[in-house]
Structures are given as C-alpha cells and as structure tokens.
C-alpha cells in the first residue's frame, strides 16, 4: 500500500489539482481562455507517474475541462480555442503512448530481473545439495576449477547411515546427514565442505599448519564423540575418513582415488575407523 499510494497521488490527484488551479487562474483573469493551452502539460504529468489507463483518464478529463471552460468563458476567439483543444488532444494521445511505452519497458526490465533471479536460483540449486545446503559434487568441481588448490582432500564416509535408515527410517537418515554436514562445516571453518553424494562428504583443507594432519584427525574424532539427535532417537556418529595431500598436477579423479584408498584403509583400523593419511 505504501508504494501504490504515492503513484495514485502523482498520477491522478496531482494532475486533477493542476487542472483546477489552471482553470481557476484563467477564471480570475477574466473571460479569457488563454490559460487553457497550459492544460496540455497535464497529460504528460500523468504519463510520468501513471500507467496507460490513468493517463488516458486524465487526458480525457483535461480535454473535457478545456472544452467546457471554453464554452463558459469564451473570449470570442473560437478558432484559437479550437487550436488549443486540438493541441491538448494531440498531447493527450502522445502522453498515452508514452505511458504505454514506459509500461512495456518496465515490464521488460522486470522480466529480465526475474530471469536473472531464476538463473541465479538454478545455478544455486545446480551447485548446492538440497538436503544439507552444502556444495554438491558439481559445486565442488566448479570451486576447484577456479584455480585455488587446497592442501588436503578429505573424504568422509558416514558408516552408520544404512543402519540408521533401517532402524529409524530415511527421514532420520536425512537428519543424520544434515547434522554431520553442519558439524563438518563448523569444525572446519577455513575449509570448503561439500556433500559428494550418498553418505560421503568432502572437506578441502586450505589452512596451513605444522600439524595439519593430526588436527584433521582430532577434529573428526571430536565430531564422532557426540551422538546425533533425530526425531526417532539418538544415533551414534560413526565416521571414516580418508585424507590425501592435494597435488596440483593430478586430476580430481586421481585425488579422489587416493582419498578413497585411504578411506578403505581407515575402515580396516580397529581404533574407531577415523582417518588415515595416505602418503604420496
């Protein structure tokens, strides 16, 4: 309502006030119609602020007011008055056309903005995991294609997801994945966390540290120490992780194979199956 009221005031009320003031000034001047020609500016005023319909209404009112006032206060110069009416009519038509063109342009700009927003949303959805809000595989690949190479590539596997789905249902499994994604993102604030697919996450480590490998493993251990609360019950946070250094000359598929090999080795460990660094 706050946006419509000013438009109504400027496109309808202000032109009507202008008509009244111009004709009042002409009446005070005497039995003349010289000021009537000034009414030609009123339709254009309506076209600036209003739409096609409101401009057409104001143009009609302007022409009718000029004709009626001319009959009441004619100065005897009928041809001149007719010329004024023709000018007002022509300006009214021009104002209606201008208002229509502005509406078309505004509609085109609005459609362009909508398309831009839609394209941004499509791009966002195409690179974002719908469940966790993290980057998905495509988003991670696009991130890596930007040129900045991480130090380590961490592949995290949710070991207990199948059991959770079977025991509590898939909705609880979704809650579990969502919680694990949030914990990874909050525990590695300087990293890029993505859901690689299914029950796997990827963490790209960029922060340099003298003991970065142990830091990664300790952080993963801290994440697994807290069970995950779901609406169906508490679920243990069981994770395995494969860690591999990032080598710029290798492709992401090769890096992934190394991390997956490290993950397989981690699953064989009897000490919690957390993480294992694969030497290159």
């Amino acid at each position: 309502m706050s946006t419509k009221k000013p438009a109504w005031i400027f496109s309808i009320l202000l032109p009507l006030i202008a008509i009244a003031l111009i004709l009042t000034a002409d009446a005070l001047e005497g039995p003349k119609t010289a000021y009537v020609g000034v009414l030609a500016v009123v339709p254009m005023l309506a076209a600036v602020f209003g739409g096609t319909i409101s401009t057409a209404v104001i143009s009609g009112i302007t022409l009718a007011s000029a004709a009626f006032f001319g009959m009441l206060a004619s100065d005897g110069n009928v041809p001149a008055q007719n010329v004024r009416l023709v000018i007002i009519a022509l300006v009214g038509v021009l104002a209606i056309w201008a208002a229509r063109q502005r509406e078309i342009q505004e509609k085109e700009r609005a459609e362009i903005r909508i398309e831009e927003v839609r394209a941004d949303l499509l791009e966002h959805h195409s690179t974002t995991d719908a469940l966790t809000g993290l980057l998905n595989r495509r988003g991670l690949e696009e991130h890596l294609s930007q040129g900045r190479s991480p130090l380590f590539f961490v592949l995290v596997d949710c070991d207990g997801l199948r059991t959770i789905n079977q025991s509590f249902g898939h909705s609880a499994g979704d809650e579990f994945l969502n919680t694990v994604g949030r914990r990874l993102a909050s525990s590695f604030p300087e990293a890029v966390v993505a859901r690689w697919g299914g029950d796997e996450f990827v963490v790209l480590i960029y922060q340099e540290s003298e003991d970065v490998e142990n830091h990664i493993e300790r952080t993963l251990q801290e994440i697994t120490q807290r069970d995950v609360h779901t609406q169906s019950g508490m679920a243990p946070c069981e994770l395995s992780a494969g860690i591999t250094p990032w080598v710029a000359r290798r492709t992401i598929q090769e890096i992934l194979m190394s991390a997956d090999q490290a993950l397989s080795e981690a699953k064989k460990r009897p000490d919690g199956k957390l993480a294992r660094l694969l030497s290159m």
Side-chain angles (χ1 to χ4, degrees), residues 22-264:
I22 292 171
L23 295 181
T24 299
D26 206 336
L28 293 175
E29 177 73 12
K32 303 287 184 181
T33 57
Y35 288 180
V36 171
V38 183
L39 290 175
V41 303
V42 176
M44 280 300 181
L45 177 63
V48 171
F49 299 103
T52 304
I53 296 177
S54 61
T55 302
V57 170
I58 292 299
S59 298
I61 293 175
T62 303
L63 182 61
S65 300
F68 182 73
F69 186 82
M71 288 187 296
L72 293 179
S74 175
D75 56 359
N77 192 354
V78 177
Q81 170 66 358
N82 291 336
V83 170
R84 297 184 189 109
L85 294 178
V86 169
I87 293 174
I88 292 173
L90 291 176
V91 173
V93 172
L94 181 61
I96 295 171
W97 177 85
R100 178 57 181 164
Q101 293 303 308
R102 181 171 57 80
E103 284 182 334
I104 294 174
Q105 293 176 358
E106 290 177 351
K107 182 179 179 180
E108 290 176 349
R109 286 194 293 267
E111 290 176 349
I112 291 174
R113 289 194 295 269
I114 291 173
E115 288 301 321
E116 290 175 347
V117 171
R118 184 176 295 138
D120 291 340
L121 288 175
L122 289 175
E123 177 65 21
H124 174 76
H125 291 312
S126 67
T127 58
T128 304
D129 178 58
L131 177 61
T132 62
L134 301 172
L135 292 178
N136 58 17
R137 181 176 300 197
R138 178 181 174 182
L140 185 69
E141 291 175 346
E142 287 189 3
H143 171 79
L144 289 170
S145 67
Q146 296 176 0
R148 185 187 175 197
S149 298
L151 297 177
F152 289 92
F153 184 100
V154 184
L155 183 62
V156 180
D157 182 80
C158 300
D159 296 320
L161 181 62
R162 180 177 298 180
T163 302
I164 295 172
N165 287 334
Q166 293 174 347
S167 302
F168 300 132
H170 287 277
S171 60
D174 290 344
E175 291 180 74
F176 179 84
L177 289 172
N178 203 2
T179 299
V180 170
R182 290 199 309 270
R183 288 184 182 181
L184 288 171
S186 61
S187 299
F188 295 98
E190 301 297 329
V192 173
V193 181
R195 186 184 177 195
W196 189 249
D199 59 354
E200 291 183 333
F201 293 86
V202 167
V203 182
L204 301 180
I205 303 296
Y206 289 91
Q207 189 175 15
E208 295 185 7
S209 172
E210 295 180 357
D211 195 24
V212 62
E213 299 95 333
N214 290 331
H215 169 70
I216 295 171
E217 192 161 358
R218 286 195 304 269
T219 302
L220 291 172
Q221 288 174 343
E222 292 174 358
I223 292 175
T224 60
Q225 289 175 358
R226 292 174 292 159
D227 290 344
V228 175
H229 175 75
T230 71
Q231 292 184 355
S232 301
M234 301 296 293
C237 186
E238 298 177 350
L239 304 176
S240 296
I243 310 171
T244 185
W246 184 272
V247 181
R249 67 177 180 273
R250 306 186 70 187
T251 65
I252 185 173
Q253 288 77 17
E254 293 172 332
I255 296 292
L256 179 63
M257 288 179 60
S258 296
D260 191 60
Q261 182 181 347
L263 177 63
S264 298

